[in-house]
Amino acid sequence: MSRIKNIARPFFHTSRRLLAKLWLQSHGKATVIGVTGSYGKTNTVAAIEAVLSQKFKALTTDINLDTTFNIPITILKLTNQEKLILEYGVDRVGEMNRHLSLAKPKIAVVTGISPVHADKAHLGSLENIIKEKAKLVKAVPKDGFAVLNYEIPEVRRMGDDCKGKVFFYGFDKNRVSVWANRIKLTATGLEFNLHYKDQMIKARTSLIGTAFVENCLAAAAVGILSNMDISLIARGLESLKPMEGRMSIEQGPKGTVILNDSRRANPASAIAGLQALDEYPAKRKIAVIGEMGELGEWEEKGHRQVGAEVGLVKPNYLIAVGPVTKYIVTEAEKNMKRGTVIWVNDVFEAAGVLSSLVKSGDLIYLKGSLLKHLERIPLIMEGKQVDPDEVAFKRYEVYR
């Protein structure tokens, strides 16, 4: 039976891809919006959907499915939607070509570049990451648009190879089309001024962390290119809610609050998360940071960069989880008080240390790669049973 399944699965997937391609061709009025980047893709897709849904019928990829299956499955859900928002995730050379063979974007969005999947088992280098993601921009037709993050030089340069028009977003009003200033993080979310040409509106969202402003700007750019009024765009951004495990605020054990950012981890997102931790109001702050996977030759440098940021933020305590995080510890100790930087081997040791440290009102920041499952730590602190493997085979439903 298993042999039959192994033969049938590739055939079924190939057939589904072919059907999806034909199905999309039969829905020619749907505008395809493609989003890629090393980080921020999922939140940007959600932000674009929130904005466009104020005026159009929109369909997006499922956040819980791998892109390989996600894109054809999503296409096959198309009915009368006017906007199809697809997340183009890639972790191997040539994978973007497979995605583009099904759906080429009218609007391509690139969020940022970081050495995620730079190890030999995946894309192999930062150069390959850039080349693979740039394919999305090159696929834009002459009457299409590339929406690019001006703040990231590698992304900015992708505009040189775009056949369509380039639309930059960022913070330098003299160099971008849509920008933000007067950014403020509160206990309930973000506030900032959103600008386009001579128009300005006060935008609000419940997302936690100033890094999310870039996601909002990307969504605003797509809204502008879709002929939406800036007030409608702001209304869409205000409807955004944090996703679980992506800078979501949750109730923690012993009267603590958890800033849960444990769904994904790379140097750029970890640094952004630490900056949010620094800005968020709390009596005491404890950063719990696990290993970042699939960095390849960037493994030491990436972890040291995060450690240096910890030293700048100076939380009351840092708990570093896993062997590779010793690089984080080395850098953080240069600027933090003796005894406030603690290295542990696994989540069980981390839970024990946290239990002895935390007080009611503390803010705990959880950050680590998905397969390390740092969200197990508060469960262990509460005496609940969790998978003892360092790499667990399921995600845990926290605080449900």
Side-chain angles (χ1 to χ4, degrees):
M1 182 62 71
S2 61
R3 184 179 178 184
I4 294 173
K5 286 183 179 179
N6 289 337
I7 295 172
R9 281 173 182 164
F11 175 78
F12 175 73
H13 182 54
T14 301
S15 300
R16 181 168 57 192
R17 284 176 54 83
L18 177 59
L19 184 58
K21 185 173 184 176
L22 295 172
W23 189 250
L24 181 58
Q25 289 174 355
S26 70
H27 291 75
K29 292 184 179 181
T31 301
V32 177
I33 299 156
V35 181
T36 196
S38 299
Y39 53 87
K41 294 186 297 296
T42 302
N43 277 298
T44 299
V45 167
I48 293 171
E49 180 186 24
V51 167
L52 294 183
S53 294
Q54 299 299 310
K55 183 176 180 180
F56 306 98
K57 293 181 179 179
L59 176 66
T60 66
T61 39
D62 188 323
I63 65 171
N64 295 311
L65 290 177
D66 182 89
T67 306
T68 301
F69 306 101
N70 210 342
I71 289 179
I73 289 173
T74 304
I75 291 172
L76 289 172
K77 293 178 181 177
L78 259 180
T79 52
N80 61 345
Q81 287 89 358
E82 301 157 284
K83 305 292 182 181
L84 176 62
I85 310 160
L86 301 175
E87 181 176 326
Y88 287 70
V90 293
D91 58 18
R92 287 175 173 79
V93 174
E95 195 167 2
M96 185 64 80
N97 293 336
R98 283 177 56 79
H99 299 333
L100 292 171
S101 69
L102 290 183
K104 290 183 172 63
K106 180 71 174 290
I107 300 175
V109 181
V110 186
T111 59
I113 293 294
S114 188
V116 184
H117 307 311
D119 58 315
K120 291 181 180 178
H122 294 88
L123 285 163
S125 68
L126 184 62
E127 291 72 21
N128 284 342
I129 292 170
I130 296 168
K131 288 178 182 178
E132 198 68 14
K133 295 184 185 296
K135 291 176 181 178
L136 188 73
V137 176
K138 292 179 181 179
V140 169
K142 289 182 179 180
D143 62 343
F145 298 90
V147 174
L148 305 179
N149 187 348
Y150 189 85
E151 304 304 314
I152 310 300
E154 297 89 348
V155 175
R156 187 192 315 155
R157 288 192 288 269
M158 292 180 187
D160 297 339
D161 296 320
C162 180
K163 295 189 291 288
K165 294 182 180 179
V166 177
F167 199 93
F168 287 118
Y169 65 90
F171 305 103
D172 186 342
K173 65 180 182 180
N174 297 315
R175 298 182 181 275
V176 301
S177 298
V178 58
W179 73 96
N181 67 355
R182 299 194 177 181
I183 302 165
K184 181 182 178 181
L185 177 63
T186 71
T188 57
L190 281 169
E191 296 178 358
F192 59 94
N193 287 348
L194 174 65
H195 298 264
Y196 173 62
K197 293 184 176 179
D198 59 347
Q199 302 176 64
M200 189 280 287
I201 192 167
K202 193 79 173 179
R204 296 179 178 83
T205 173
S206 58
L207 300 180
I208 303 297
T210 54
F212 286 119
V213 174
E214 292 183 1
N215 305 147
C216 292
L217 288 175
V222 174
I224 289 165
L225 294 174
S226 302
N227 298 313
M228 290 182 65
D229 185 85
I230 194 169
S231 62
L232 268 185
I233 291 171
R235 187 192 302 171
L237 295 176
E238 191 167 1
S239 71
L240 271 173
K241 304 296 180 187
M243 298 180 186
E244 184 180 353
R246 299 177 190 267
M247 298 298 285
S248 54
I249 294 292
E250 301 168 359
Q251 180 184 349
K254 299 186 177 183
T256 61
V257 174
I258 290 188
L259 183 54
N260 187 353
D261 197 20
S262 62
R263 183 74 180 181
R264 295 280 187 230
N266 59 67
S269 67
I271 289 170
L274 285 164
Q275 291 169 351
L277 175 68
D278 189 33
E279 297 164 358
Y280 196 85
K283 293 180 182 178
R284 296 198 314 165
K285 301 173 183 180
I286 302 173
V288 183
I289 303 180
E291 296 173 322
M292 299 176 289
E294 301 175 354
L295 296 181
E297 63 183 18
W298 286 77
E299 181 175 86
E300 179 178 344
K301 183 178 180 180
H303 284 83
R304 286 188 182 278
Q305 287 174 340
V306 172
E309 187 66 27
V310 174
L312 291 175
V313 171
K314 292 184 177 65
N316 295 89
Y317 290 95
L318 164 67
I319 300 175
V321 186
V324 181
T325 62
K326 287 188 176 181
Y327 295 124
I328 295 178
V329 168
T330 300
E331 297 301 320
E333 284 180 331
K334 294 177 181 178
N335 290 298
M336 289 184 64
K337 294 180 181 178
R338 183 184 296 273
T340 61
V341 178
I342 303 165
W343 178 86
V344 297
N345 187 60
D346 56 35
V347 295
F348 296 93
E349 289 184 22
V353 171
L354 262 181
S355 293
S356 66
L357 288 178
V358 296
K359 299 177 181 178
S360 180
D362 284 354
L363 177 67
I364 302 171
Y365 174 57
L366 287 183
K367 183 66 172 180
S369 286
L370 172 65
L371 291 179
K372 299 302 181 181
H373 291 287
L374 261 63
E375 77 276 11
R376 290 180 290 178
I377 293 172
L379 298 179
I380 296 167
M381 292 172 68
E382 293 177 338
K384 296 178 181 177
Q385 294 294 315
V386 302
D387 193 318
D389 292 339
E390 182 63 22
V391 178
F393 294 99
K394 62 178 180 177
R395 278 201 64 81
Y396 292 90
E397 297 298 320
V398 186
Y399 314 125
R400 293 278 176 92

